[in-house]
Amino acid sequence: MIFGTLPSGEPVERHELSSGRLRAAVLSYGAILQTLEVSGVNVVLGLPSLDDYLTRSRYFGAVVGRYGNRIARGRFTLDGTEHTLPVNNGPNSLHGGADGFDRRAWTVADVTGSSITLTLTSPDGDQGYPGTLTVSVTYTLDGDALRLDYAAETDAPTVLNLTNHSYFNLAGGGDVLGHVVRIAADHYLPVDDGKIPTGERATVKGTVFDFTTPHAVGERFGGAYDHCYVLDGGVTVVEPVSGRTMEVTTTEPGVQFYAGGMLDGVATPFGPHAGLCLETQHFPDSPNQPGFPSTVLRPGERHASSTTYAFPA
């Protein structure tokens, strides 16, 4: 079905998927996961209209890129050439810039009853990034799990960090401060005042960042989490009242755990901590951090990554 029309005149499609206990709706704008129902309860924050996504969204459910998370000062050097990006988060570039992949009309390449593939071409120089990049993301419902498969190729060296920015609330409403989280990560990335990593991989042991054993989101630190964890395994989230559980596994080396503290109920329809994000990804500012895993993609290479959100009965 047609969800609305962009100011450019391009229609936005909405497609519904189903499998077992799961139902989902995906938009061609931003490749957005608008809803994800588990036994009839919607567990992601979504907006009711295209106008809301154009004016009131904090990346709700979108695929962000070219570079998810932050690049310091909107600059990086690749093969001796410095590239300048638009800054949209203080002095830094966030989620690919003000006109990132979350604000693009994607093409629906294939759709079945339980899966959808969307594609996007980002031209050379798009938001300052080099190379023409072709990207695809496939959402697949398989039993009690949602899997996201990303792929990309380029015609010139570039940097790439794709992720999905869904906000999860396993209760279907209220805040997530009582959600109990376990992250299989012995280290996290400390950041400066602009949320740029210092380059250190710090131990979580003895800190408020230790989720190697389960803790409620609001138990410590005021729930003010917006940090990247160096993954040793997966992530588990439990909503203790309903018992609803989500298990996250990924091929990516990190996950940005954000507890939604900057939602304000004014710029968006949702108040603080209405949802939490688990953005599976490479590390923030990797193009400027030689000690981090590389995010460089070169011609002839194919980027591929997968993330699965499972909801065991």
Side-chain angles (χ1 to χ4, degrees), residues 3-223:
F3 186 67
T5 303
L6 295 170
S8 63
E10 295 174 272
V12 173
E13 300 176 34
R14 181 181 188 271
H15 292 271
E16 296 184 353
L17 313 176
S18 65
S19 174
R21 299 159 50 237
L22 303 188
R23 302 286 186 275
V26 176
L27 307 180
S28 59
Y29 176 71
I32 286 170
L33 178 65
Q34 184 196 22
T35 63
L36 177 60
E37 294 182 8
V38 181
S39 298
V41 176
N42 181 30
V43 298
V44 297
L45 303 188
L47 301 175
S49 72
L50 179 58
D51 184 66
D52 284 319
Y53 281 106
L54 294 173
T55 61
R56 305 192 73 193
S57 181
R58 292 282 179 85
Y59 307 101
F60 294 120
V63 172
V64 295
R66 278 188 203 192
Y67 201 95
N69 220 310
R70 294 167 177 84
I71 293 181
R73 302 174 302 283
R75 296 176 183 274
F76 68 92
T77 298
L78 178 59
D79 295 341
T81 299
E82 184 178 78
H83 299 276
T84 302
L85 316 173
V87 295
N88 60 328
N89 184 246
N92 306 315
S93 182
L94 175 67
H95 293 332
D99 188 24
F101 292 178
D102 61 293
R103 301 189 68 84
R104 305 294 175 86
W106 292 59
T107 298
V108 176
D110 186 56
V111 63
T112 71
S114 59
S115 71
I116 183 171
T117 298
L118 304 105
T119 61
L120 179 71
T121 298
S122 173
D124 179 40
D126 186 7
Q127 298 291 286
Y129 290 90
T132 298
L133 185 78
T134 56
V135 181
S136 71
V137 59
T138 299
Y139 292 89
T140 303
L141 296 182
D142 184 6
D144 292 334
L146 167 65
R147 189 180 74 249
L148 277 67
D149 295 300
Y150 304 91
E153 295 179 335
T154 182
D155 67 357
T158 192
V159 296
L160 179 69
N161 192 26
L162 300 172
T163 190
N164 179 275
H165 207 294
S166 287
Y167 292 74
F168 293 93
N169 184 319
L170 301 187
D175 64 50
V176 296
L177 294 176
H179 283 44
V180 177
V181 176
R182 182 184 181 276
I183 304 175
D186 290 332
H187 297 84
Y188 79 104
L189 304 182
V191 294
D192 63 18
D193 290 342
K195 298 185 178 178
I196 297 298
T198 63
E200 178 188 7
R201 303 188 195 198
T203 181
V204 300
K205 187 176 181 179
T207 76
V208 297
F209 301 102
D210 189 349
F211 284 91
T212 56
T213 57
H215 289 277
V217 173
E219 179 182 334
R220 308 164 298 178
F221 197 47

